Amino acid sequence: MPTRLLLLLLAVAGAAVLADGRLLLPGDDAAVVLRLPSEAADAAAGEAAAGCEMTYGFLPCTDTALGNMFLVLAYGFLMFKAATYLSAGSELLLEILGPGIVGGLFLPILGALPDAMLILVSGLSGSKEVAQSQVLIGMGLLAGSTVMLLTLLWGSCVVVGKCDLSENSTATDSQDTKGFSLFGSGVSTDVQTSYAARIMAISVLPFIIVQIPKIFKLHSGHRLTVLLGLIVAALLVFAYCLYQIFQPWIQRRRLEYARLKHVMSGVLRHAQKHVFGRLLDEDGRPNIPVIEKLFCKIDQDNDGKLERGELQAFIIGVQFEDIDLDSSVAAEQVMADFDTSQNYAIEKGEFVNGILRWLEEAKRSVSASGAYSKKFLQDFHTRTRDEHNLLLGKDDEDGEDIKYPTWTCVKAISLLLLGTAMAAAFADPLVDAVHNFSNATSIPSFFISFIAMPLATNSSEAVSAIIFASRKKQRTLSLTFSEVYGGVTMNNTLCLAVFLALVYTRGLTWDFSSEVLIIFLVCTIMGLFTSFRTNFPLWTCFVAYLLYPLSLIMVYVLDFKFGWS
């Protein structure tokens, strides 16, 4: 991994040099000019050399729009990798130490770390005037991240996770026969998820506090309200972490899902080795006859359905890499996942559909594109085994043991340190690139950071959420939406606290009324909408989707037509 990372950094540096058309070496009095043909290139060369300042003295810089666009994409990708490493390390640490203080205190903070880093560096360097202009990038990221999670991601999870709605408007797990019926299909969550939505709605309180002088048109008290907002935001972070510690139901759901993934990988790998043929053919298409043979092998009494005892007998024969897995619990998990008719038995059609779903999920877990590889089952098994080996042994209800606790703990800490280092190193260059791209194109930096930067810091969480939602189960959908609401809560508390601390200590002006308004409206609308209901028909996704362009339009109108900025 370090070698790949080094090559990636060298590629970024080299490509950025080509994008700018100039190579600058620290300490040299002259620049080696390798400019691409352009109008007035010679006249602009001296100006560009004087105005372009390399971050840290060696990272490439550019004054052109295309060059800065490339740098935004390159540094954004590196921030995405940082967020991915932080997410992977957090999950490993959660599984080895379990829910509680680690899951409740450290993991929510680590999840918000990339956004917090970008917000911090947006106004930390340069003069007060430069910080005041660049801090708008931090506000754009804060608003864009919150709005994206509650609109585009929330709506996509409804579309991907939709199931048929019963007569009482409750979604039927894994049953999706009504297509895109706006009122006949949708998703359901549990009551605890609505509690998470209420917490999210409450977390907008610091935004209201800092806007008090603007609301009542006061000429003084701006710094005091910023300080009060900072204190309230910090207290809400502390309260939310305490809630996570003493009510660790979100973390427990993640652990249950990790156990199910390990059962999936063990069953698929065992079937691939011991059944009469391969589960997938040479082109990666499911081999239905082989899957049906597997069903007949498990169906010991040949009655055309699998009961819990038959599943448990089959699972006992599956090798789970010397882990003492509770076969009774594993059978219950498979039964709950496959039995869509809820008649406490798995028919052949349910079994085939369940195995097909497992195979598709295994391919997606190994490859983001879902591309077929002959090794994907082995890779999936290795990945899930490593995750599952980290589960607690002495306190875990299922009596599982950790095989290599020291190594896995070192791996988790290494991923966290690598992710943190990358986030800290590339946050400043990314902010500079966005600022320079804004100057080169005359596009307000807020809109660039609102649209582009959340993709860098939240993409890994978004992909994970969509994969969870695609399982079309109330349990996994509840986990998905709970994590969306939790991410917004940390944006409204931890990230805002960092932003307010920056504004207060540097004496910056708080003038973000339109941005605060869209955060308040989106959080309030979606918070109220999701706090008092657990069933969401498909039409609700359009409510979420429409809020995204409306937010951008509102900021444009308020800032550029009514002069709020």
Side-chain angles (χ1 to χ4, degrees):
M1 182 171 62
T3 303
R4 291 200 302 268
L5 181 60
L6 179 59
L7 292 174
L8 178 62
L9 296 179
L10 291 175
V12 168
V17 167
L18 292 177
D20 181 46
R22 150 172 104 256
L23 174 65
L24 296 179
L25 298 176
D28 289 353
D29 294 330
V32 179
V33 179
L34 299 172
R35 285 198 176 277
L36 298 175
S38 62
E39 293 183 9
D42 294 333
E47 242 176 64
C52 180
E53 182 178 352
M54 294 181 292
T55 308
Y56 308 134
F58 67 90
L59 288 182
C61 64
T62 175
D63 294 306
T64 65
L66 288 178
N68 277 298
M69 178 184 290
F70 177 84
L71 289 180
V72 169
L73 294 175
Y75 294 135
F77 175 75
L78 291 170
M79 289 298 294
F80 162 74
K81 296 300 294 183
T84 302
Y85 293 143
L86 286 170
S87 177
S90 298
E91 289 184 1
L92 292 180
L93 202 60
L94 168 64
E95 291 169 352
I96 195 171
L97 298 178
I101 294 179
V102 172
L105 181 59
F106 295 110
L107 300 193
I109 295 175
L110 288 172
L113 185 61
D115 284 352
M117 286 280 190
L118 286 166
I119 291 170
L120 181 64
V121 302
S122 67
L124 196 61
S125 60
S127 63
K128 182 178 177 180
E129 291 74 19
V130 172
Q132 186 68 54
S133 65
Q134 286 195 350
V135 80
L136 189 61
I137 298 174
M139 178 53 72
L141 169 63
L142 181 57
S145 177
T146 296
V147 173
M148 188 195 79
L149 290 173
L150 287 178
T151 58
L152 300 182
L153 181 57
W154 193 94
S156 298
C157 288
V158 171
V159 174
V160 172
K162 67 180 178 62
C163 299
D164 295 344
L165 296 181
S166 61
E167 293 181 357
N168 60 355
S169 298
T170 301
T172 304
D173 284 355
S174 303
Q175 184 174 324
D176 185 16
T177 62
K178 296 182 180 179
F180 289 90
S181 173
L182 295 181
F183 297 92
S185 62
V187 300
S188 293
T189 61
D190 56 21
V191 177
Q192 288 90 343
T193 305
S194 64
Y195 298 158
R198 295 175 192 178
I199 294 172
M200 177 196 70
I202 295 172
S203 68
V204 300
L205 181 60
F207 285 105
I208 300 175
I209 293 174
V210 296
Q211 284 298 114
I212 289 176
K214 296 288 185 180
I215 295 172
F216 295 100
K217 298 182 179 180
L218 303 178
H219 299 289
S220 60
H222 292 264
R223 281 183 58 82
L224 177 61
T225 54
V226 168
L227 180 60
L228 287 176
L230 170 59
I231 294 172
V232 171
L235 290 175
L236 287 176
V237 172
F238 181 71
Y240 181 69
C241 290
L242 285 180
Y243 173 79
Q244 291 276 357
I245 291 171
F246 293 107
Q247 297 289 333
W249 47 274
I250 295 179
Q251 285 77 26
R252 292 195 185 280
R253 284 175 179 165
R254 294 187 67 89
L255 294 177
E256 290 174 4
Y257 185 69
R259 295 187 188 102
L260 176 60
K261 284 204 301 181
H262 189 70
V263 174
M264 289 166 51
S265 68
V267 170
L268 292 176
R269 185 166 175 262
H270 178 82
Q272 184 84 341
K273 287 185 175 181
H274 298 91
V275 183
F276 316 103
R278 302 179 65 86
L279 295 176
L280 298 177
D281 60 23
E282 292 296 328
D283 298 324
R285 291 188 296 267
N287 198 332
I288 304 298
V290 171
I291 298 175
E292 291 176 342
K293 288 179 182 178
L294 175 61
F295 175 86
C296 295
K297 180 178 180 180
I298 303 174
D299 184 18
Q300 297 177 350
D301 57 6
N302 297 317
D303 63 350
K305 57 185 178 181
L306 305 181
E307 276 114 15
R308 185 176 173 278
E310 292 172 320
L311 282 175
Q312 187 172 349
F314 173 72
I315 288 172
I316 289 174
V318 177
Q319 298 298 318
F320 284 102
E321 299 290 336
D322 300 326
I323 292 177
D324 186 19
L325 184 72
D326 190 324
S327 59
S328 176
V329 174
E332 285 287 352
Q333 288 182 309
V334 176
M335 181 69 73
D337 204 44
F338 280 24
D339 183 20
T340 56
S341 61
Q342 298 182 350
N343 62 348
Y344 304 102
I346 302 174
E347 284 82 16
K348 182 181 288 188
E350 292 175 329
F351 182 82
V352 172
N353 290 334
I355 292 294
L356 293 179
R357 192 172 64 249
W358 280 12
L359 289 170
E360 188 63 30
E361 184 164 349
K363 286 194 290 185
R364 280 202 307 265
S365 297
V366 174
S367 172
S369 62
Y372 172 64
S373 167
K374 292 183 179 180
K375 290 179 55 185
F376 86 97
L377 276 181
Q378 180 61 41
D379 294 339
F380 179 62
H381 182 77
T382 301
R383 178 174 298 185
T384 54
R385 181 199 61 200
D386 291 343
E387 292 177 0
H388 193 269
N389 281 337
L390 303 175
L391 294 173
L392 281 174
K394 59 182 180 180
D395 295 328
D396 193 272
E397 297 177 355
D398 300 338
E400 294 146 17
D401 298 316
I402 304 171
K403 193 173 182 181
Y404 304 112
T406 302
W407 162 244
T408 50
C409 188
V410 169
K411 182 178 179 181
I413 293 174
S414 300
L415 285 170
L416 291 174
L417 290 176
L418 177 60
T420 303
M422 289 182 65
F426 296 108
D428 192 21
L430 177 57
V431 170
D432 288 341
V434 171
H435 184 70
N436 293 335
F437 181 75
S438 174
N439 291 337
T441 59
S442 299
I443 299 174
S445 58
F446 170 84
F447 293 103
I448 301 171
S449 56
F450 184 97
I451 297 172
M453 293 177 72
L455 297 176
T457 57
N458 294 296
S459 290
S460 59
E461 288 81 1
V463 171
S464 176
I466 291 175
I467 289 175
F468 272 34
S470 67
R471 294 192 58 79
K472 299 181 181 295
K473 296 277 187 178
Q474 184 189 51
R475 180 182 57 185
T476 52
L477 283 163
S478 297
L479 171 61
T480 297
F481 288 117
S482 296
E483 292 194 332
V484 170
Y485 304 146
V488 175
T489 301
M490 293 306 292
N491 283 347
N492 294 344
T493 54
L494 177 62
C495 293
L496 178 62
V498 172
F499 193 91
L500 292 176
L502 187 65
V503 171
Y504 185 80
T505 55
R506 298 218 61 184
L508 304 179
T509 302
W510 178 267
D511 192 15
F512 307 104
S513 298
S514 58
E515 293 84 356
V516 170
L517 181 60
I518 64 169
I519 293 174
F520 174 78
L521 288 178
V522 172
C523 288
T524 302
I525 292 171
M526 294 300 295
L528 293 175
F529 188 58
T530 57
S531 293
F532 301 102
R533 60 185 302 166
T534 57
N535 300 316
F536 302 96
L538 184 60
W539 65 264
T540 58
C541 73
F542 294 105
V543 176
Y545 284 145
L546 284 174
L547 287 174
Y548 189 83
L550 287 177
S551 299
L552 284 170
I553 293 171
M554 186 178 297
V555 171
Y556 176 79
V557 171
L558 293 177
D559 281 351
F560 297 97
K561 299 300 181 182
F562 291 94
W564 278 30
S565 61

